Amino acid sequence: QLTLVESVGGLVQPGGSLRLSCTTSVGSTLDGYAIGWFRQAPGKEREGVSCVSNKGGDRNYVESAEDRFTSLRDNAKNMAYLEMNSLEPGDTATYYCAAVQSYVSDVYCQISDPGAWDYWGKGTLVTVSS
């Protein structure tokens, strides 16, 4: 129903910054969906990183990232972004964009349950290393 595509990650030195983006296929828009960001490192469970409600009224972050990451969206451009600053080696993971339809506009978003998210991108690898 909804195809999500993340931008390419890459190699970043500790302390550096990287901006990931998420968009959807031609003919679809993101404005009716909350957008979440999740990450998974080898041997670890998938972890919710951040989310933003469909109109931007609610945002949530994992504690380890709340002072360093910012979840943004620009519905006019049909884009969502995860700005990552002060990156640490522990941030190394495959990052996924996810979406879930907002039946009631802009109520909330959550990152505690990956299973509640219906649509997923293929993921992009972010490596933080010197």
Side-chain angles (χ1 to χ4, degrees), residues 4-12 18-23 36-42 46 49 82 84 91-98 120-128:
L4 300 176
V5 180
E6 303 98 340
S7 59
V8 176
L11 176 64
V12 185
L18 186 67
R19 186 183 193 181
L20 299 178
S21 65
C22 175
T23 190
W37 293 93
F38 296 79
R39 65 188 180 189
Q40 188 165 22
R46 186 167 297 189
V49 178
L82 181 66
M84 302 184 289
D91 296 316
T92 296
T94 297
Y95 284 72
Y96 299 87
C97 173
W120 293 83
K122 294 182 178 180
T124 186
L125 179 63
V126 175
T127 301
V128 184

Side-chain angles (χ1 to χ4, degrees), residues 18-64:
L18 186 67
R19 186 183 193 181
L20 299 178
S21 65
C22 175
T23 190
T24 189
S25 57
V26 175
S28 299
T29 60
L30 294 177
D31 61 301
Y33 299 84
I35 298 296
W37 293 93
F38 296 79
R39 65 188 180 189
Q40 188 165 22
K44 297 183 179 180
E45 297 295 319
R46 186 167 297 189
E47 176 188 38
V49 178
S50 183
C51 66
V52 56
S53 58
N54 74 298
K55 299 294 185 181
D58 187 43
R59 291 178 173 85
N60 288 288
Y61 302 90
V62 65
E63 185 176 1
S64 63

Side-chain angles (χ1 to χ4, degrees), residues 61-80:
Y61 302 90
V62 65
E63 185 176 1
S64 63
E66 62 184 358
D67 295 324
R68 301 182 295 118
F69 293 7
T70 304
S71 188
L72 304 168
R73 67 187 304 154
D74 187 341
N75 287 340
K77 297 181 179 179
N78 201 36
M79 299 287 288

